[in-house]
């Protein structure tokens, strides 16, 4: 499936969309979940015991005993830790028992202080590696571990909680154990990323694995008192059940969905698992309760021919399983890649007309299926393109996943939904399904209805775009959808309207408007981030960096000629003195990129201090890539060497290039298993080698750059539809600037500027990338994974035919995503559930791309990728020119 049509939703983003209506934010900032506001657990309101220190770290309240010097007592850096799980009903009691047990014994511990934060940890799409963890206790050694397990286990005996997937369970209570890090220590892993670490048997730092299954490090011996519990964990199997599991279709915090066969008659079945106390919905129902709802709803609509039939219902290992007939067909979302006519530069009018007829027919079939369900007294409550199965003849549909379904007479609100089809809170009963059917009318033609989570008024604009792109769609079909989406059912409510905005192509007015939006969003009073952006900014150091943090936004503002934002610069300086522990080291994810921007803004000494801190780490073990690896670091070192004359920096840049040369000499992994593209593929190393070639004239560097580019191009395929050349990841293809072919194309252009003799070889490649960059539709606006990246490439490439109409179409298409923030022009971030201001996914990246396309300013480009205007001469290029 092509990425232009959008893949599955990344469920992590839903949790970050709860705390603020405009921007992604951490759930601990929800009203009532913060440090000073109710409701907190009563235990979290207790006074800090004398001789203890309390601190809020993310969604944890940590308590640490102090020594006689008033400093936290130094305990072990790693070992066996104890987790306690909890339900909403018993969490207060468990927290109180743990506090009363640990404080007199001076055992450090932490717990989740808010009922709402506990709910989010156990929600359906919460990360499975953190599922169930309510309390963490840090015993000092195996003897105390055993004592605490026995004594605290007895105090908590009989209490329920979600099963903690990463851990080993102690008896039948809520206690679990896992070996791992106590202190915050980091190491570069085998993929070149900075990750939490423990020391192995030889004292070396190695990654602290936190996969959702119990893992015993090979150098650790399982204590004797835990061995029976490991044996008990392994004892649960399918046993004598008459089903053969063949593959897992899906996992969530609530359990798995599996494809299998009924061994009695050979019929294909689907088994759906419900974990007790986990996978919570908004109303608090756990996965078992939701599975029971699904069973009751399916039995009520049985025989309609539009839902799977129930075959079995059983319990195994405390988990519930619903067995249903396998439904033949494909989910509706899977048809977009092969059918949607706008994924080509010049859609064929007949293809557009044929797709229109198909989409209208499918929508009519879905309406009929929903009507059949309503006739049996059931509201589906979760209608979206992933829950609609189109039969092989494409004439009818089945509806699947009824865990949110409810009887019509209950008149309830929606509790689980895909963001692009999520009804407003005032819609209840069958109105919930009617809203989703209206969204489906638009999503079949422009699958970007997630924008309605930010602003339902966007529906009218999308309907206008659809009417222009699909002239055979009946106007009433669209107008009825807009009316349903934007209507307010609350008495006296004002109609939903989107304010008029400046068009992206109206430069410099669009620049000024975007700058105002960005500055209006700034939060210099916060320490975790300055500008709202992608959820990645809430990882270690993410709020600082070039891709998702303050450095990237300040870079885009400077590159497009905006006035300096001195308060923002002061914020970045304050947050890097010193940087937070665990901040990555690279160009786009960490300290190297921050150093580059600070140097550009005139803060050279801080930039050199940050680079010195990077060089004190084992930077040679970084991955090869541009995003966080050697390629990006080497480019920054070379740039700072050019501007400062520091010989050591030049030597380290050359060392980074030398390491990449040696790695390129090794046999590559099989394509498409290896990553390709500008940020994570071989194109990033190629870029460093090109810049080093420009400094030295060493032909070996130029040849190696060509070899690296060819390695990425081996991972590319030509699309049957449209003829675009895209990176093949095995399950999808990508045209984008970050991980797709357009990013490769940017470096290819630079390579040809250095070696024009290769122009004939790369001509078909450049033409294929040009086609990939000029499709009519892309699912997101962002720089690295959306249309803005196409605009940036078209504005700088020397490929014939890139400018003029092609570029103008892409600039106009960016307007499809335009949103308002305080009356100014802004753009949604990744997954489009909230606005973003960062460089990689949001408004700053769109600003940079539009600056390159419409202003022609020499600085409006990505670092180290200025427009290639002519073959470079030896030593002629500075890092930023």
């Amino acid at each position: 499936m092509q990425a232009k049509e959008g893949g599955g939703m990344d469920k992590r983003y839903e949790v970050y969309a709860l705390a603020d209506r405009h921007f992604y934010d951490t759930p601990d900032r929800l009203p009532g979940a913060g440090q000073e506001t109710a409701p907190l657990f009563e235990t979290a309101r207790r006074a800090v015991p004398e001789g203890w220190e309390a601190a809020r770290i993310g969604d944890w309240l940590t308590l640490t005993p102090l020594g006689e010097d008033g400093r936290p007592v130094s305990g072990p850096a790693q070992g066996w830790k104890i987790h306690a799980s909890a339900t909403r009903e018993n969490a207060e009691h468990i927290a109180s028992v743990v506090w009363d047990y640990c404080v007199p014994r001076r055992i450090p511990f932490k717990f989740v202080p808010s009922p709402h934060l506990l709910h989010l940890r156990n929600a359906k799409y919460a990360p499975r590696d953190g599922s169930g963890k309510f309390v963490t206790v840090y015993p000092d050694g195996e003897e105390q571990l055993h004592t605490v397990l026995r004594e605290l286990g007895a105090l908590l005996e009989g209490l329920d909680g979600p099963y903690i997937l990463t851990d080993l369970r102690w008896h039948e209570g809520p206690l679990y154990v896992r070996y791992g890090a106590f202190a915050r220590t980091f190491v570069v892993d085998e993929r070149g990323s900075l990750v939490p670490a423990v020391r192995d048997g030889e004292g070396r730092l190695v990654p602290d694995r936190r996969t959702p299954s119990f893992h015993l490090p090979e150098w650790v011996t399982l204590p004797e008192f835990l061995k029976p519990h490991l044996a008990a964990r392994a004892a649960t199997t399918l046993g004598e059940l008459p089903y053969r599991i063949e593959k897992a279709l899906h996992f969530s915090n609530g359990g798995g969905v599996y494809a299998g066969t009924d061994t009695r008659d050979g019929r294909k079945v689907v088994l759906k698992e419900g974990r007790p106390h986990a996978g919570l919905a908004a109303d608090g129902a756990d996965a078992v309760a939701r599975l029971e709802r699904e069973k009751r709803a399916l039995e009520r609509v049985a025989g309609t021919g539009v839902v799977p039939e129930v075959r079995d219902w059983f319990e195994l290992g405390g988990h519930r399983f619903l067995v249903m007939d396998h439904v033949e067909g494909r989910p509706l979302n899977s048809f977009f890649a092969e059918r949607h006519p706008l994924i080509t530069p010049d859609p064929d009018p007949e293809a557009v007309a044929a797709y229109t007829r198909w989409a209208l027919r499918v929508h009519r079939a879905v309406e009929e299926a929903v009507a059949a369900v309503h006739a049996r007294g059931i509201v589906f409550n979760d209608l979206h393109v992933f829950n609609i199965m189109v039969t092989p003849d494409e004439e009818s549909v089945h509806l699947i996943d009824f865990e949110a379904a409810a009887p019509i007479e209950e008149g309830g609100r929606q509790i689980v939904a895909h963001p692009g089809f999520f009804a407003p809170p005032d819609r209840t009963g069958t109105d919930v399904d009617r809203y989703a059917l209206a969204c489906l009318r638009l999503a079949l033609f422009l699958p970007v209805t997630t924008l309605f989570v930010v602003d339902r008024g966007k529906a009218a604009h999308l309907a206008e775009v659809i009417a222009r792109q699909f002239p055979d769609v009946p106007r009433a079909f669209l107008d009825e959808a807009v009316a349903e989406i934007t209507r307010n059912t609350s008495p006296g409510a004002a109609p939903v309207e989107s304010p008029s905005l400046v068009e992206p192509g109206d430069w410099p007015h669009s620049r000024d408007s975007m700058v105002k939006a960005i500055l209006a969003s700034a939060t210099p009073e916060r320490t975790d981030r300055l500008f709202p952006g992608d959820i990645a900014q809430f990882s270690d150091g993410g709020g600082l960096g070039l891709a998702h943090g303050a450095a990237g936004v300040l870079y885009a503002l400077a590159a497009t000629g905006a006035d300096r934002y001195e308060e923002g610069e002061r914020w970045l300086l304050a947050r890097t003195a010193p940087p937070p522990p665990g901040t990555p080291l690279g160009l786009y994810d960490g300290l190297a990129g921050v150093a580059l921007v600070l140097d550009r803004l005139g803060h050279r000494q801080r930039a050199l201090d940050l680079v010195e801190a990077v060089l004190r780490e084992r930077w040679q073990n970084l991955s090869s890539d541009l995003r966080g690896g050697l390629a990006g670091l080497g480019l920054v070192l070379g740039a700072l060497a050019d501007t400062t004359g520091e010989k050591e920096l030049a030597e380290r840049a050359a060392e980074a290039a030398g390491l990449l040369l040696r790695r390129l000499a090794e046999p590559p992994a099989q394509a498409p298993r290896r990553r390709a593209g500008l940020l994570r593929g071989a194109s990033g190393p190629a870029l460093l080698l090109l810049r080093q070639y420009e400094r030295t004239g060493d032909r070996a560097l130029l040849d190696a750059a060509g070899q690296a580019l060819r390695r990425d191009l081996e991972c590319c395929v030509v699309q049957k539809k449209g003829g675009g050349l895209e990176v093949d990841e095995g399950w999808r293809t990508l045209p984008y600037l970050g991980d797709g072919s357009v990013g490769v194309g940017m470096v290819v252009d630079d390579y040809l500027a250095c070696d024009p003799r290769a122009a004939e070889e790369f001509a078909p490649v450049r033409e294929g990338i040009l086609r990939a960059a000029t499709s009519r539709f892309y699912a997101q606006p962002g720089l690295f994974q959306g249309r803005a990246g196409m605009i940036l490439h078209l504005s700088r490439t020397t490929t014939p035919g890139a400018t003029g109409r092609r570029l103008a179409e892409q600039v106009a298409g960016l307007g499809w995503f335009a949103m308002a923030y305080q009356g100014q022009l802004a753009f949604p971030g990744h997954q489009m559930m909230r606005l973003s201001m960062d460089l990689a996914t949001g408004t700053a990246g769109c600003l940079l791309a539009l600056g390159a396309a419409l202003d022609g300013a020499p600085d409006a480009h990505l670092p180290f990728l200025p427009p290639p205007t002519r073959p470079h001469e030896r030593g002629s290029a500075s890092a930023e020119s």
Side-chain angles (χ1 to χ4, degrees):
M1 177 179 178
Q2 280 182 303
K4 287 193 291 291
E5 291 63 71
M9 294 299 299
D10 186 333
K11 297 296 183 178
R12 297 175 301 160
Y13 284 78
E14 293 187 32
V15 173
Y16 287 88
L18 296 173
D20 189 282
R21 65 178 297 265
H22 291 111
F23 303 112
Y24 294 121
D25 213 333
T26 53
D28 58 298
R29 290 185 174 270
L30 274 159
Q35 300 181 37
E36 301 176 355
T37 53
L40 298 174
F41 291 118
E42 286 298 323
T43 307
R45 295 176 176 274
R46 292 185 184 183
V48 179
E50 185 176 352
W52 284 73
E53 177 183 78
R56 278 293 299 269
I57 301 176
D59 53 3
W60 292 101
L61 175 60
T62 67
L63 285 105
T64 309
L66 302 176
E68 293 182 359
D69 59 358
R71 293 185 172 187
V73 172
S74 177
Q78 63 190 60
W80 288 95
K81 62 179 73 175
I82 300 170
H83 289 119
S85 67
T87 66
R88 176 71 177 257
E89 292 70 28
N90 64 28
E92 181 67 77
H93 176 66
I94 290 175
S96 176
V97 169
V98 171
W99 181 298
D100 293 341
Y101 179 85
C102 289
V103 168
R105 295 165 177 80
R106 296 181 61 76
I107 302 172
F109 68 101
K110 66 181 180 181
F111 66 100
V112 177
S114 157
H116 193 81
L117 293 177
L118 175 62
H119 175 93
L120 293 178
R121 278 191 160 263
N122 295 325
K124 180 177 180 181
Y125 290 108
R128 297 171 70 225
D129 59 357
S131 175
K133 295 176 182 177
F134 172 57
V135 175
T136 308
V137 178
Y138 299 97
D140 189 355
E142 291 185 7
E143 182 177 347
Q144 189 175 65
L145 168 72
H146 196 190
T147 300
V148 175
L149 286 171
R150 290 198 315 270
E151 295 177 352
L152 191 57
L155 293 172
L156 300 177
E157 185 175 358
L159 297 178
D160 289 326
Y163 197 100
I164 297 177
L165 298 172
T166 60
D167 290 23
L168 184 62
R169 190 175 190 180
W170 175 258
H171 291 295
E172 298 301 314
L175 296 187
Y176 297 76
V177 295
R178 183 182 83 85
Y179 189 94
F182 289 7
R184 284 169 59 82
T185 308
F186 299 87
V187 70
V188 178
D189 69 4
E190 65 275 5
R191 298 178 63 182
S193 300
L194 204 64
V195 297
V198 292
R199 294 194 181 274
D200 66 10
E202 298 180 6
R204 298 171 302 189
L205 284 175
V206 297
D208 183 9
R209 306 292 183 191
R210 301 181 182 187
T211 54
S213 61
F214 178 65
H215 167 75
L216 183 67
E218 59 184 21
W219 70 89
V220 176
T221 301
L222 188 72
E224 284 294 327
F225 57 86
L226 292 180
K227 288 182 178 178
H229 304 283
L230 182 61
R233 180 186 177 104
T236 301
T237 65
L238 287 177
E240 301 301 318
L241 292 174
Y243 303 107
R244 181 175 63 251
I245 302 295
E246 284 152 359
K247 67 176 179 178
L249 301 176
H250 171 68
F251 283 109
S252 74
N253 197 17
V257 181
Y258 310 92
T261 299
D262 188 328
T263 56
R264 294 167 296 189
D265 57 15
R267 184 177 296 185
K268 292 182 179 180
V269 294
V270 171
L271 296 89
K272 194 169 184 178
E273 174 188 22
R275 297 177 56 219
H277 312 300
L280 303 181
D283 62 351
D286 69 1
V288 173
R290 290 187 287 104
L291 204 59
E292 290 172 342
R293 287 178 186 166
E294 181 161 17
K295 175 177 177 290
R296 290 194 298 269
L298 288 175
E299 289 172 342
R300 192 160 169 177
V301 297
T304 57
V306 298
V307 301
E309 300 292 326
V310 173
R311 292 180 64 87
D312 202 354
W313 174 252
F314 63 87
E315 183 178 322
L316 180 67
H319 294 196
R320 276 287 178 181
F321 287 82
L322 175 65
V323 185
M324 299 166 283
D325 282 336
H326 172 77
V327 173
E328 294 293 337
R330 288 191 293 156
L332 179 55
N333 69 290
S334 69
F335 286 85
F336 287 124
E338 63 189 50
R339 282 192 174 274
H340 204 284
L342 300 192
I343 60 175
T344 64
D346 298 297
D348 175 54
E350 178 48 40
V352 172
Y355 178 84
T356 300
R357 292 191 295 271
W358 178 85
L360 294 174
R361 184 174 76 244
V362 168
H363 191 273
R364 185 166 55 251
V366 175
E367 284 185 317
E368 292 169 355
V370 171
V373 170
H374 288 180
R376 294 291 184 91
I378 292 292
V379 181
F380 188 17
N381 269 333
D382 195 17
L383 180 71
H384 57 77
V385 292
F386 294 85
N387 282 352
I388 299 167
M389 296 290 289
V390 180
T391 57
D393 65 6
E394 300 183 17
E395 294 293 332
S396 57
V397 301
H398 288 86
L399 306 179
I400 62 171
D401 198 357
F402 273 70
E403 64 181 36
I408 289 176
E409 61 267 19
E410 292 182 0
R413 287 172 50 181
Q414 198 169 24
I415 56 172
V416 175
H418 183 289
F421 298 80
F422 190 33
D426 58 358
R427 308 294 173 92
T428 59
T430 55
D431 276 356
V432 171
D433 289 348
R434 292 191 184 98
Y435 179 88
L437 284 167
C439 291
L440 183 62
R441 291 192 181 200
L442 305 186
L444 280 165
F445 298 96
L446 282 184
V448 294
T449 54
T450 307
L451 294 172
F452 302 161
V453 177
V454 182
D455 179 10
R456 281 187 286 140
K458 191 69 178 175
H461 181 203
L462 295 186
E464 293 297 330
V465 174
I466 293 168
R468 292 195 299 269
Q469 300 294 329
F470 297 89
D472 292 340
V473 177
R475 188 69 211 203
F477 182 85
L478 300 174
D479 292 343
E480 290 166 4
V482 173
E484 176 62 36
I485 291 166
T486 58
R487 76 178 172 92
N488 284 310
T489 60
S490 302
V496 177
E497 295 181 1
S498 285
S500 58
L501 293 168
V502 61
E503 290 291 333
D506 186 10
W507 191 271
H509 300 297
S510 58
R511 178 196 63 190
D512 297 342
S513 187
M514 285 183 280
V515 170
K516 289 177 182 177
I518 289 170
L519 296 182
S521 75
T523 54
E525 70 279 4
R526 290 178 59 161
T527 58
D528 58 338
R529 60 106 159 123
L530 175 59
F531 299 103
D534 191 71
I535 66 172
Q537 65 183 189
F538 301 114
S539 301
D540 290 305
L544 303 178
L546 197 57
H548 302 296
V553 179
L554 294 175
Y555 178 90
L557 293 174
T560 53
D563 292 337
R564 290 186 68 157
Y565 179 42
E566 294 184 1
E567 187 175 15
E569 294 177 35
R570 289 194 295 270
W571 185 95
L572 190 56
L573 289 168
R575 292 298 295 145
T576 53
T583 302
L585 310 179
L587 171 59
Y588 280 103
D589 68 348
L591 297 181
V594 176
L596 180 75
V597 173
L598 287 175
D599 182 65
R600 176 168 182 159
L601 295 173
H603 307 290
R604 176 156 299 167
Q605 188 55 52
R606 177 58 53 79
L608 293 174
D609 291 345
L610 292 177
V611 168
E612 182 180 346
V614 171
L615 294 178
R616 286 197 298 266
E617 301 291 335
R618 293 191 292 175
W619 62 271
Q620 295 91 342
N621 293 341
L622 289 172
S623 61
S624 299
D625 64 43
L626 184 71
R627 179 181 179 274
L630 286 175
L633 177 58
L635 285 162
V636 173
L637 292 171
L640 289 175
D642 290 343
T643 57
T644 65
E646 291 280 350
K647 183 178 179 182
E648 182 185 356
L649 296 180
E651 291 172 349
R652 297 290 78 78
E655 183 181 355
L659 287 168
L660 293 178
L661 284 174
R662 288 195 287 276
R663 293 181 187 182
L664 282 168
E666 300 171 358
Q670 290 278 328
R673 293 185 181 90
R674 65 177 184 266
R675 300 297 294 264
L678 179 65
L679 293 183
R680 295 178 175 87
S683 296
L687 183 60
L688 172 60
L689 296 171
L690 284 175
R691 298 297 172 246
Q692 285 295 105
Y693 164 73
E694 291 170 343
R695 291 186 177 92
T696 67
D698 183 351
R699 181 76 192 192
L701 294 167
L702 181 61
D703 292 342
Q707 175 193 349
L709 286 169
R710 293 179 183 94
R711 185 169 290 186
D712 264 5
L713 291 170
E714 289 173 1
C715 299
C716 295
V717 294
V718 176
Q719 298 299 299
K720 294 179 181 178
K721 192 166 189 173
L725 186 73
E726 301 187 4
V727 169
D728 182 7
E729 290 198 327
W731 63 282
R732 63 178 181 176
T733 64
L734 297 174
Y736 297 124
L737 187 154
D739 295 313
S741 56
V742 163
V744 182
M746 295 181 81
V747 186
V748 166
D749 286 340
D750 282 32
Y751 174 69
L752 295 180
C754 291
D755 190 0
R757 295 173 300 176
E760 184 176 352
E761 174 193 354
F762 283 94
V765 167
R766 300 175 80 207
E767 175 59 29
I769 292 172
L770 177 62
R771 295 189 67 79
T774 53
S775 288
R776 191 68 60 86
F777 174 73
Y778 298 97
Q780 300 194 104
L783 186 65
F784 285 170
Q785 298 183 67
R787 196 184 291 270
M790 310 304 166
I791 293 171
L792 185 63
H793 173 63
L794 294 176
S795 69
R796 77 181 293 276
T797 184
T798 54
T799 306
T803 55
R805 177 175 68 90
R806 295 297 191 194
L807 180 56
E809 286 175 346
Q810 295 303 319
V811 170
L814 189 62
W816 298 0
F817 303 94
M819 308 289 283
Y821 180 67
Q822 296 193 11
Q824 304 299 331
L825 177 62
F827 290 91
H830 192 52
Q831 301 291 314
M832 298 196 300
M833 284 182 269
R834 290 293 184 267
L835 301 177
S836 169
M837 298 299 175
D838 70 28
L839 181 72
T841 71
T843 306
C846 295
L847 172 66
L848 185 73
L850 291 171
L854 304 175
D855 195 17
D859 290 338
H861 57 76
L862 283 175
F864 313 108
L865 280 166
T869 56
R870 62 181 185 276
H872 297 287
E873 297 175 0
R874 184 186 309 177
S876 66
S878 70
E880 288 295 298
S881 63

